[in-house]
């Protein structure tokens, strides 16, 4: 794969569809990195993977109202566009697409994408409509940017699988590429929401990844019994999880002891909801 050098002049910011069309004119081999901003090292890893893979890197920056439910944190979701633009430029993004909601959802917008049954499981059970919102905005971004590749974090593993399903089933012509989760030194998966944790919540949050790793070690030692693996993880959690589930890794179908597996967890710490997962074969 050719390595392309980052742009030296900083990313072009496109806020409207004509801006975007102008910014993309004459560009092919486009990689898209969709984000909601408040960028951290996890987003940087996606931008680097995209930069290494494609001639043109487009980062979208849009806090998508359609993927937040009533009572969720849409209003308080962290926003810092100035910092995000400098991170995107530092990581060599060519274009930052930062549209307003009226650009993504213009008057008359009426279609949404059903993410299929997986959209109602795991995260979807706690967040009805979330993955419909994700699938719809990602499909629209794919239509607007027309990337050949798109990069998503394994941290949001169910989102990655659903976006892959959408791209495959609707034949969108986009290769969806997963990027490994970036973690703090104590194991906590980086998230824009971590800043909302109090010191004591931050400490309890480390038990999420510790619990996953404990089950991972047991799995690496040959244990395949789902109840034992789940109990090992559950006893290490400092909170009651929304869910703690073992699934097949490739498509998040029912756990099969003879196939690659993934352990997924979600929990609320105060008002902050965190998710994490671990591929057990990697443990
Ligand atoms: P967000 O801005 O939270 O919507 O995330 C944008 C993209 O960054 C998604 O594909 C996420 O999965 C990915 N991402 C978020 N946190 C991490 C992380 N800690 N490691 C890797 N990717 C991440």
């Amino acid at each position: 794969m050719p390595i392309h050098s980052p742009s030296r002049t900083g990313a072009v910011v496109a806020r409207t569809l004509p801006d975007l069309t102008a910014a993309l004119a004459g560009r092919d081999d486009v990689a898209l990195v969709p984000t909601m901003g408040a960028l951290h090292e996890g987003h940087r890893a996606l931008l680097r993977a995209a930069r290494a893979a494609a001639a043109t890197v487009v980062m979208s920056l849009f806090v998508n109202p359609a993927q937040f439910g009533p009572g969720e944190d849409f209003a308080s979701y962290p926003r810092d566009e100035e910092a995000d633009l400098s991170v995107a430029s530092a990581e060599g993004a060519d274009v930052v697409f930062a549209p307003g909601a009226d650009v993504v959802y213009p008057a008359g917008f009426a279609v949404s994408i059903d993410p299929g049954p997986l959209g109602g499981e795991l995260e979807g059970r706690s967040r009805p409509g979330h993955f419909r919102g994700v699938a719809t905005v990602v499909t629209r971004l794919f239509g607007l940017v027309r990337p050949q590749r798109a990069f998503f974090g394994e941290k949001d593993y169910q989102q990655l699988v659903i976006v892959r399903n959408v791209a495959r089933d609707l034949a969108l012509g986009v290769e969806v590429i997963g990027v490994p989760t970036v973690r703090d030194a104590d194991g906590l998966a980086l998230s824009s929401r971590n800043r909302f944790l109090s010191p004591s919540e931050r400490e309890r949050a480390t038990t999420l990844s510790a619990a996953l790793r404990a089950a991972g070690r047991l799995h690496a030692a040959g244990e395949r019994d789902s109840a034992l693996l789940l109990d090992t993880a559950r006893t290490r959690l400092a909170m009651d999880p929304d869910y703690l589930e073992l699934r097949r890794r490739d498509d998040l179908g029912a756990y099969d002891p003879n196939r690659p597996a993934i352990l997924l967890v979600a929990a609320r710490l105060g008002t902050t909801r965190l998710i994490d997962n671990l591929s057990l074969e990697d443990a």
Side-chain angles (χ1 to χ4, degrees):
M1 239 175 346
I3 304 293
H4 301 276
S5 58
S7 77
R8 286 182 187 80
T9 50
V12 170
V13 181
R15 298 187 188 279
T16 65
L17 300 190
D19 281 356
L20 182 67
T21 304
L24 292 177
R27 293 181 180 273
D28 52 10
D29 187 16
V30 173
L32 174 65
V33 179
T35 82
M36 299 202 300
L39 302 181
H40 50 63
E41 281 296 324
H43 299 105
R44 283 180 183 265
L46 267 60
L47 288 166
R48 280 182 209 133
R51 183 70 282 165
T56 298
V57 175
V58 179
M59 186 187 90
S60 60
L61 176 50
F62 179 60
V63 184
N64 174 33
Q67 70 188 69
F68 290 79
E72 290 189 359
D73 57 352
F74 174 69
S76 58
Y77 196 83
R79 291 164 171 88
D80 187 349
E81 192 186 272
E82 202 183 326
D84 293 341
L85 294 179
S86 64
V87 169
S89 291
E91 295 298 344
D94 299 292
V95 179
V96 175
F97 179 43
D102 58 329
V103 171
V104 179
Y105 302 115
F109 190 94
V111 170
S112 65
I113 302 297
D114 183 337
L118 182 57
E121 301 175 25
L122 299 162
E123 281 297 286
R125 227 177 310 132
S126 302
R127 307 185 68 188
H130 170 67
F131 286 118
R132 177 179 293 274
V134 169
T136 302
V137 79
V138 167
T139 303
R140 178 143 171 94
L141 289 171
F142 285 0
L144 294 173
V145 176
R146 304 276 157 164
Q148 283 71 48
R149 299 187 186 91
F151 291 77
F152 289 82
E154 290 181 356
K155 193 233 160 202
D156 301 279
Y157 193 82
Q158 188 179 5
Q159 169 173 276
L160 170 63
V161 171
I162 283 176
V163 170
R164 243 184 215 142
N165 291 348
V166 169
R168 181 200 60 210
D169 289 359
L170 301 182
L172 300 182
V174 181
E175 184 188 357
V176 175
I177 298 165
V179 175
T181 302
V182 178
R183 299 175 180 281
D184 266 338
D186 63 7
L188 180 65
L190 297 188
S191 163
S192 305
R193 293 185 169 101
N194 289 353
R195 69 190 67 194
F196 296 127
L197 298 170
S198 71
S200 78
E201 287 166 354
R202 177 69 183 70
E203 212 171 298
R204 287 197 297 141
T206 62
T207 66
L208 288 169
S209 59
L212 298 176
R213 286 197 308 275
R217 285 193 296 274
L218 196 61
H219 185 273
E223 184 58 66
R224 293 293 181 270
D225 182 82
S226 61
L228 275 172
L229 292 165
L230 289 169
D231 282 352
T232 296
R234 192 174 289 110
T235 56
R236 282 166 174 80
L237 289 174
M239 74 295 280
D240 273 338
D242 277 2
Y243 60 80
L244 173 69
E245 287 198 36
L246 258 179
R247 294 280 180 123
R248 216 157 56 205
R249 187 190 183 188
D250 56 349
D251 59 1
L252 292 179
Y255 173 64
D256 177 342
N258 299 311
R259 288 179 58 178
I262 186 163
L263 184 55
L264 306 104
V265 68
R268 190 171 287 280
L269 285 134
T271 56
T272 308
R273 194 163 172 286
L274 299 180
I275 60 174
D276 200 355
N277 67 80
L278 184 70
S279 290
L280 294 189
E281 63 180 350
D282 295 341

